[in-house]
Amino acid sequence: MLAEDSTLLREGLVRLLVEEGHEVPAAVGDATALLREVGARPPDMVVVDIRMPPTHTDEGLRAALEIRERWPGVGVLVLSQHMERNYAVRLLTSNAERVGYLLKDRVAQVEEFLDALERIRAGGAALDPEVVRQLVVRTTHGDPLARLTPRERSVLETLAQGHTNAAISEKLHVSVSTVEKNLNAIFDKLELPHATGYNRRILAVLRYLES
């Protein structure tokens, strides 16, 4: 299901998804209508704009958080015109499974958009690289991230986008064993507990970075 107040973008997304073999049972222009549609027939996933009528502030985000709470099996991908750090934190720290946050410019890169949907559908996370970059940038003295090597920081940023170890290996042009070694070092340096499943690691990293 889609919730986007721009008719042009909403219809464009519906056409794209249908052409890619997805079913779009509802495409609405405000958050209230989205919640009504989800309540009537929960879909596999919703794609929702953060800023929606009537105030165009955070109606879409609040709807996304309500969907996460009331229908935890529904994947949620929120779209934003600009990076809004506080909104990203509110969404991601609630639960980092079946969730995504993309800037609208990323939607124009069709393969990346579709890949994000697939990762969310599979139970993972999909975070815009710019969102991750701003989340991990720290400037305060004594920042634990300063302990990381440039390679470890790159691995951390790519991990936080929702990629598996194999995908990180491909993107950074290193071996999977190197990725695993860097991940172990990252969690040791950040004093984070080891957990099975990359989704839990993403959540741990994001929570730590925003603590």
Side-chain angles (χ1 to χ4, degrees), residues 50-51 56-59 61-62 65 78-80 82-93 101 131 135:
I50 281 184
R51 296 181 180 273
H56 294 277
T57 54
D58 66 347
E59 283 88 349
L61 175 68
R62 286 189 280 111
L65 292 172
V78 298
L79 304 177
S80 179
H82 307 288
M83 165 58 183
E84 306 193 53
R85 192 171 185 272
N86 291 337
Y87 291 168
V89 172
R90 285 175 61 188
L91 179 72
L92 299 172
T93 55
Y101 187 114
V131 171
L135 285 174

Side-chain angles (χ1 to χ4, degrees), residues 111-136:
E111 290 303 319
E112 291 192 29
F113 173 61
L114 295 175
D115 178 65
L117 291 177
E118 179 57 29
R119 275 186 273 155
I120 295 169
R121 186 201 63 78
L127 309 185
D128 195 286
E130 178 61 18
V131 171
V132 173
R133 188 190 69 79
Q134 293 198 35
L135 285 174
V136 301

Side-chain angles (χ1 to χ4, degrees), residues 121-188:
R121 186 201 63 78
L127 309 185
D128 195 286
E130 178 61 18
V131 171
V132 173
R133 188 190 69 79
Q134 293 198 35
L135 285 174
V136 301
V137 169
R138 291 281 192 92
T139 57
T140 56
H141 181 68
D143 175 11
L145 291 179
R147 305 173 190 170
L148 304 184
T149 66
R151 171 63 71 194
E152 290 166 353
R153 185 180 287 265
S154 296
V155 169
L156 174 62
E157 293 182 4
T158 312
L159 170 69
Q161 292 172 33
H163 294 293
T164 62
N165 290 2
I168 296 172
S169 168
E170 181 178 350
K171 285 181 173 292
L172 299 183
H173 306 290
V174 297
S175 68
V176 173
S177 63
T178 297
V179 172
E180 293 171 349
K181 179 180 178 181
N182 278 279
L183 287 174
N184 287 332
I186 289 167
F187 283 97
D188 286 342

Side-chain angles (χ1 to χ4, degrees), residues 3 17 34 53 67 112 114-115 117 135 164 190 196 200-201 207 211:
L17 292 170
L34 174 64
I67 290 169
E112 291 192 29
L114 295 175
D115 178 65
L117 291 177
L135 285 174
T164 62
L190 297 183
T196 58
R200 294 175 184 174
R201 299 204 304 264
R207 285 181 172 169
S211 63

